[in-house]
Amino acid sequence: MWDKKFKDGVADDYFSTRWFVQRYNQLSGKEGINGVKEIVAANDRYTQEVFKEFSENLGEFLAPYVHGFNPDILIIGGNIAKAHELFLPAVLENFESANFNLTMKIIENTEEAGIVGSSYLFHPDFWSRLKKELPRSL
């Protein structure tokens, strides 16, 4: 969903490593931070601010999709999942206040999960059942 409209751009503008680094450097006035791992390792007030903003953005971005699709579970993967303790509680809190009953899971091996999940699309029974459940407005 990297290319979906969000705020003044697209999702990738707010959920990428580029956003984390740019926002952290902007808030802290520091230079030379090159990745999320470094931001997490800094563990300073700017780290907390960046992840708070990320949590708010993620909740705001996902809300219409969660509302429209009504999933039972939302899986978070990729490298950001390694820092889930810095954003997941706030996202869950936002969803609860919006009355979304949603479980979120962290998946460590995103590459394998993507391949396995994609392969299911080639199973005719799975695909015919899934395509009926996909929301048309998303």
Side-chain angles (χ1 to χ4, degrees):
M1 295 177 22
W2 67 272
D3 63 341
K4 302 299 181 220
K5 289 185 184 276
F6 184 64
K7 294 192 176 189
D8 296 327
V10 295
D12 192 59
D13 296 334
Y14 295 87
F15 304 116
S16 63
T17 297
R18 182 182 71 254
W19 177 85
F20 273 95
V21 170
Q22 182 180 27
R23 190 68 180 128
Y24 181 86
N25 288 338
Q26 184 180 39
L27 290 171
S28 69
K30 297 179 183 178
E31 297 289 329
I33 297 292
N34 296 309
V36 177
K37 187 186 255 185
E38 293 175 65
I39 295 169
V40 171
N43 195 25
D44 56 17
R45 72 179 197 154
Y46 308 111
T47 301
Q48 302 307 314
E49 287 181 47
V50 167
F51 274 93
K52 180 180 183 297
E53 189 173 331
F54 173 78
S55 300
E56 292 167 357
N57 286 340
L58 187 61
E60 182 182 337
F61 174 73
L62 290 175
Y65 296 100
V66 170
H67 180 73
F69 190 64
N70 196 25
D72 296 319
I73 188 168
L74 181 64
I75 298 172
I76 304 288
N79 284 329
I80 193 63
K82 295 173 186 170
H84 70 275
E85 67 279 352
L86 296 173
F87 68 89
L88 191 58
V91 173
L92 286 171
E93 188 176 299
N94 289 340
F95 281 165
E96 285 176 20
S97 66
N99 294 318
F100 291 138
N101 185 18
L102 181 66
T103 301
M104 294 182 83
K105 296 281 185 184
I106 300 299
I107 186 164
E108 305 255 339
N109 192 343
T110 306
E111 290 177 15
E112 184 178 312
I115 292 169
V116 171
S118 296
S119 71
Y120 272 91
L121 295 177
F122 290 98
H123 189 281
D125 294 336
F126 178 79
W127 177 243
S128 63
R129 188 180 68 221
L130 176 68
K131 69 182 177 183
K132 294 174 190 170
E133 297 177 15
L134 291 172
R136 301 218 185 277
S137 63
L138 301 177

